[in-house]
Amino acid sequence: ETYVSSLYLEDIALVNAKIGELKPENKKRIGFFGDSITCGYGNTERHGEGFTMEHEEFDRAYPFLIAQKLDMDYMVVARSGVSVSRQIWIDQLFDEIYDTVDMFNKCPVDDRLDYAIIALGTNDNGAYALAPEEEKPIALKKFVDDYLSLVGRIIKDNPGVSVIIAYNFVELLEDIKGAFKEIVECASKKYKNSIKLVELTPNAEGAAGHPYLDGHLVFAKEIIKVIK
């Protein structure tokens, strides 16, 4: 749908009106960086083979549930099929869409994040599984290096941000699980920020092997526990 249409607010006209003062809520701000799971892809159709927009409901996906429960303002940067270091489903890596809206227009975020939830790596896991055996050591190192680069970019843009790296939304290979532990260990040594790792209870009961909505409820509870 992103490529079919775009809607922009060009102007607001006030007729015989006064502009009142709106006090800022001063809510904490949380950002989510992810892929189709973060968007809620297939979360309302249990064991569905295909996917349609009717089966993707963001207000039942874990980012919205977390922001709502913690009463935080939120930002989401996500694209279905996106990887950190090895392409498999689409022709862009996450680094290329990091500061975009709908993967189209540059839109720098004015308000700094208090928390950043990085939920990437599921598609890298699929690409890694398909890689020739002789390429896997290099692919694994590149995944670690590129993920660390993303963590550094988020911290640079949001000084003082607390980072939570969430993984295993669906069951991952042991090599990739080990890579996540290495990423957090390296990042914690390099940065003064709080950097936590949370291994989630996997769920693939939604459409096209994605998490079903009760999986998103569990993800939200597990990540909220780490935030608190």
Side-chain angles (χ1 to χ4, degrees):
E1 290 192 347
T2 297
Y3 297 101
V4 175
S5 65
S6 296
L7 178 66
Y8 299 91
L9 176 63
E10 183 174 293
D11 199 2
I12 298 175
L14 299 176
V15 180
N16 297 325
K18 292 182 179 180
I19 299 177
E21 183 179 348
L22 183 65
K23 295 181 179 179
E25 293 185 279
N26 294 321
K27 289 185 177 182
K28 288 190 178 296
R29 187 172 173 84
I30 187 168
F32 298 88
F33 302 85
D35 49 33
S36 57
I37 297 173
T38 299
C39 299
Y41 184 117
N43 63 350
T44 63
E45 184 184 31
R46 191 184 291 276
H47 301 301
E49 293 183 5
F51 167 74
T52 67
M53 292 299 291
E54 287 85 357
H55 300 137
E56 177 178 311
E57 294 187 12
F58 180 73
D59 60 357
R60 301 175 81 176
Y62 76 90
F64 183 83
L65 297 174
I66 291 171
Q68 184 182 54
K69 180 69 174 179
L70 298 177
D71 191 28
M72 292 186 183
D73 191 9
Y74 66 91
M75 176 191 78
V76 177
V77 180
R79 184 180 181 185
S80 181
V82 75
S83 304
V84 175
S85 68
R86 193 178 182 95
Q87 295 170 345
I88 178 171
W89 306 119
I90 60 173
D91 58 355
Q92 287 179 298
L93 295 175
F94 191 83
D95 183 67
E96 299 173 64
I97 71 162
Y98 170 76
D99 56 357
T100 68
V101 173
D102 291 339
M103 300 77 65
F104 183 67
N105 283 333
K106 296 285 181 180
C107 185
V109 179
D110 294 328
D111 298 326
R112 290 177 176 174
L113 300 175
D114 297 292
Y115 295 92
I117 313 299
I118 311 177
L120 292 155
T122 302
N123 294 315
D124 291 272
N125 180 81
Y128 178 79
L130 296 174
E133 287 301 317
E134 62 272 15
E135 292 183 18
K136 286 189 174 180
I138 297 174
L140 202 62
K141 183 181 185 305
K142 187 174 188 304
F143 175 68
V144 171
D145 290 345
D146 289 351
Y147 213 111
L148 283 169
S149 177
L150 174 62
V151 173
R153 191 172 179 183
I154 292 171
I155 289 175
K156 181 181 178 181
D157 290 344
N158 305 277
V161 68
S162 295
V163 178
I164 294 175
I165 296 177
Y167 73 111
N168 212 46
F169 291 87
V170 296
E171 191 67 42
L172 300 179
L173 298 170
E174 291 302 318
D175 285 353
I176 298 294
K177 288 182 180 180
F180 274 105
K181 294 171 184 176
E182 182 180 349
I183 289 164
V184 171
E185 183 179 345
C186 293
S188 297
K189 290 178 181 178
K190 186 173 182 179
Y191 303 105
K192 296 180 180 180
N193 303 63
S194 171
I195 302 174
K196 303 290 185 183
L197 181 67
V198 54
E199 181 173 345
L200 301 169
T201 303
N203 183 294
E205 296 182 357
H210 285 66
Y212 189 59
L213 55 87
D214 23 354
H216 282 268
L217 287 169
V218 173
F219 300 156
K221 289 179 181 177
E222 292 173 334
I223 293 172
I224 286 171
K225 184 178 178 181
V226 177
I227 293 173
K228 287 185 174 180

